[in-house]
Amino acid sequence: MKTKYFYISDLNFDGGVYQTQILDWIKLYNEYGLNFELIQVYSILALRNKNHKNIKKRIRTASSTKVHFYYFVPNVFYLHLINIVLFYLYLTIKIIKYQKVVIFSRAEIGQEINVLKKLYRNKLIYIYDLRGALAEEYIWYMKKSNNYTKSNLNILSNKFYSEYIRQKAADKIFVVSNTLKTYFINHYNSDSSKFVLYPCLSSIKKFYFDESIRRSTRNKLGFNDIDKVFIYSGGIINNYHSVEKFIEFFNKIANYESHVKLLLLVKESTDTIKNIILRYDNIIILENIPNKEVVKYLNASDYGLLLRENITLNNVAFPTKFAEYLLCGLPTIISESLIDCANYCKETNSGYIITNSEMENLNHFNPEALIKTNFNRVEIATKASKFLSKESLISELVAELKNFNYDIN
């Protein structure tokens, strides 16, 4: 049977998450015989961006497979009907010569996919790449900004409805966490048999523990043998990353243990955050470190930090940096709110859990208990390679994507 695979993404290209969560996965699938082509979708308003042509060029350069670009009109009022017609014509040109077409999509194209599934009834397989609870993220935004306008509430309603349509239309739902699976079953009455666990994993080719890399990088950064280095790698712009909270947490550690350092690897930071960090001589911030270089700094550190507030948006998440930390053997200090990640740390002795009550009031946190907990980095990295690497899951995922012996909606 002649089958064609398309991966559809509406994620903004950032060189980091886009590379690890989309391009690296597509490359790995292609190595296992699933020849995906990438369809990157944008709002037509993106054409106003003077840098848009350069972004497209960077995606083509970074991708190991053929890339197509498609533009939607804003999905308001009845304009989604235009999107349905245009997307139908666009896909028809690409898929008419194939007997089966698999669309693996993380894009917000619920109503469009629902109609296409009916038109291509026995031809189109739709895999919903479920990375998080988008409606919950918008609830968090409205709460933080205290912005409950009618317009925002309408947007929220549309996000809930779009999530419902996508999970209903899907033949399979690839989901990042068991907690997110439970959320969808409870909120949308989703069919539990559709779900395939698909966490945000990393590759053992990029992230691994190496003692020689650890020594050389620590020397480069000026760390001595008695320094205990805590690292946070990732975004710090969004409030749900709890930057102020983990700086407060680090201060608790520093008051107990004098030889500590905090290393921040971030894409970019705000002036406010930089001003906070300038108050401390034991906090180092490095910006725009290439993804392939991050492994050096993770090896050089002693603990990974992953602290987030206790909200649904975080409860269902499975951040990529969690796998990156553990593949490098880093014991991870993680908040209880990241449920699946915290459960993994408990089961494998790969980290230290900060409870939700401790996150709310760090006076309840005992630094001594953390510092005196022993971790085996080699053991942590070995277990992670078996459970948190892309290589450990790829065969199972390929089998799911090749298995069309289920009913077509």
Side-chain angles (χ1 to χ4, degrees), residues 4-11 18 21-23 25-26 29 35-41 65-68 102-107 109 127-131 174 198 401:
K4 186 63 180 177
Y5 293 84
F6 290 102
Y7 189 112
I8 303 180
S9 168
D10 60 358
L11 187 68
Y18 195 100
Q21 289 191 18
I22 298 177
L23 297 183
W25 270 117
I26 291 176
Y29 283 131
N35 296 312
F36 274 96
E37 291 184 11
L38 173 62
I39 299 177
Q40 176 63 39
V41 299
T65 191
K66 189 173 183 179
V67 183
H68 311 274
V102 177
I103 290 183
F104 190 92
S105 175
R106 66 180 292 155
I109 51 174
I127 312 294
Y128 181 14
D129 184 14
L130 181 53
R131 303 275 96 185
F174 280 38
Y198 180 61
L401 289 167

Side-chain angles (χ1 to χ4, degrees), residues 268-282:
E268 59 182 332
S269 60
T270 64
D271 290 338
T272 300
I273 292 171
K274 286 179 179 178
N275 288 334
I276 293 173
I277 292 169
L278 285 174
R279 303 173 195 166
Y280 306 94
D281 58 8
N282 56 351

Side-chain angles (χ1 to χ4, degrees), residues 207 217 220 265 289-298:
F207 295 93
T217 309
K220 173 186 173 183
L265 299 189
I289 301 297
N291 184 254
K292 63 182 180 180
E293 300 289 322
V294 172
V295 62
K296 298 178 180 178
Y297 300 96
L298 297 185

Side-chain angles (χ1 to χ4, degrees), residues 172-215:
K172 290 287 182 180
I173 302 172
F174 280 38
V175 63
V176 297
S177 71
N178 284 306
T179 307
L180 184 55
K181 171 184 173 179
T182 301
Y183 171 90
F184 263 68
I185 291 172
N186 290 341
H187 282 72
Y188 301 117
N189 198 27
S190 299
D191 181 352
S192 62
S193 67
K194 288 185 177 182
F195 289 90
V196 177
L197 191 60
Y198 180 61
C200 296
L201 307 178
S202 295
S203 173
I204 54 176
K205 296 178 181 178
K206 286 188 173 183
F207 295 93
Y208 48 85
F209 178 61
D210 187 302
E211 186 63 46
S212 63
I213 292 177
R214 173 177 169 79
R215 288 194 300 269

Side-chain angles (χ1 to χ4, degrees), residues 92-123:
T92 297
I93 295 171
K94 296 185 179 302
I95 71 179
I96 195 169
K97 59 184 177 180
Y98 299 103
Q99 291 175 286
K100 288 283 186 182
V101 174
V102 177
I103 290 183
F104 190 92
S105 175
R106 66 180 292 155
E108 294 187 56
I109 51 174
Q111 295 179 79
E112 294 83 359
I113 285 291
N114 196 38
V115 172
L116 289 171
K117 282 294 300 286
K118 293 175 182 177
L119 293 173
Y120 289 115
R121 182 171 297 276
N122 295 315
K123 187 170 186 174

Side-chain angles (χ1 to χ4, degrees), residues 311 334 343:
I311 55 176
I334 189 166
N343 286 341

Side-chain angles (χ1 to χ4, degrees), residues 77-96:
F77 301 111
Y78 292 99
L79 292 181
H80 70 277
L81 298 175
I82 297 175
N83 286 330
I84 290 172
V85 173
L86 293 179
F87 199 53
Y88 168 74
L89 295 174
Y90 175 82
L91 274 184
T92 297
I93 295 171
K94 296 185 179 302
I95 71 179
I96 195 169

Side-chain angles (χ1 to χ4, degrees), residues 152-389:
N152 275 336
L153 290 171
N154 285 336
I155 291 173
L156 176 62
S157 176
N158 286 334
K159 285 186 178 293
F160 272 117
Y161 183 67
S162 182
E163 281 188 332
Y164 168 76
I165 290 295
R166 289 198 296 277
Q167 63 81 34
K168 187 71 174 177
D171 296 292
K172 290 287 182 180
I173 302 172
F174 280 38
V175 63
V176 297
S177 71
N178 284 306
T179 307
L180 184 55
K181 171 184 173 179
T182 301
Y183 171 90
F184 263 68
I185 291 172
N186 290 341
H187 282 72
Y188 301 117
N189 198 27
S190 299
D191 181 352
S192 62
S193 67
K194 288 185 177 182
F195 289 90
V196 177
L197 191 60
Y198 180 61
C200 296
L201 307 178
S202 295
S203 173
I204 54 176
K205 296 178 181 178
K206 286 188 173 183
F207 295 93
Y208 48 85
F209 178 61
D210 187 302
E211 186 63 46
S212 63
I213 292 177
R214 173 177 169 79
R215 288 194 300 269
S216 62
T217 309
R218 285 178 75 91
N219 288 336
K220 173 186 173 183
L221 293 171
F223 300 149
N224 58 44
D225 290 341
I226 62 174
D227 284 331
K228 293 187 182 297
V229 181
F230 294 73
I231 189 170
Y232 173 79
S233 173
I236 57 175
I237 300 300
N238 294 319
N239 288 336
Y240 60 78
H241 289 125
S242 301
V243 178
E244 290 82 0
K245 181 65 70 172
F246 67 65
I247 289 178
E248 181 185 354
F249 170 84
F250 177 71
N251 281 332
K252 289 279 292 183
I253 300 289
N255 289 333
Y256 174 81
E257 173 67 54
S258 59
H259 297 283
V260 294
K261 306 285 185 182
L262 175 59
L263 182 59
L264 301 176
L265 299 189
V266 300
K267 181 175 176 56
E268 59 182 332
S269 60
T270 64
D271 290 338
T272 300
I273 292 171
K274 286 179 179 178
N275 288 334
I276 293 173
I277 292 169
L278 285 174
R279 303 173 195 166
Y280 306 94
D281 58 8
N282 56 351
I283 298 180
I284 302 167
I285 185 168
L286 300 175
E287 296 186 74
N288 294 310
I289 301 297
N291 184 254
K292 63 182 180 180
E293 300 289 322
V294 172
V295 62
K296 298 178 180 178
Y297 300 96
L298 297 185
N299 271 275
S301 303
D302 298 289
Y303 300 95
L305 284 175
L306 194 48
L307 304 178
R308 294 190 182 178
E309 63 178 307
N310 185 26
I311 55 176
T312 302
L313 172 64
N314 292 327
N315 296 157
V316 303
F318 200 103
T320 303
K321 66 176 66 67
F322 179 68
E324 293 175 353
Y325 286 170
L326 296 182
L327 286 172
C328 292
L330 263 184
T332 299
I333 302 167
I334 189 166
S335 52
E336 188 180 20
S337 59
L338 287 157
I339 296 174
D340 278 41
C341 298
N343 286 341
Y344 177 88
C345 285
K346 291 176 185 176
E347 293 166 3
T348 61
N349 191 32
S350 296
Y352 189 91
I353 314 301
I354 305 298
T355 66
N356 292 328
S357 63
E358 288 173 331
M359 280 290 291
E360 291 176 7
N361 185 353
L362 283 173
N363 288 326
H364 298 159
F365 166 66
N366 180 9
E368 182 179 5
L370 167 61
I371 296 299
K372 290 188 175 181
T373 301
N374 294 320
F375 296 101
N376 185 319
R377 291 196 67 161
V378 173
E379 186 176 299
I380 290 173
T382 300
K383 289 179 180 178
S385 69
K386 294 178 181 178
F387 301 109
L388 298 178
S389 69

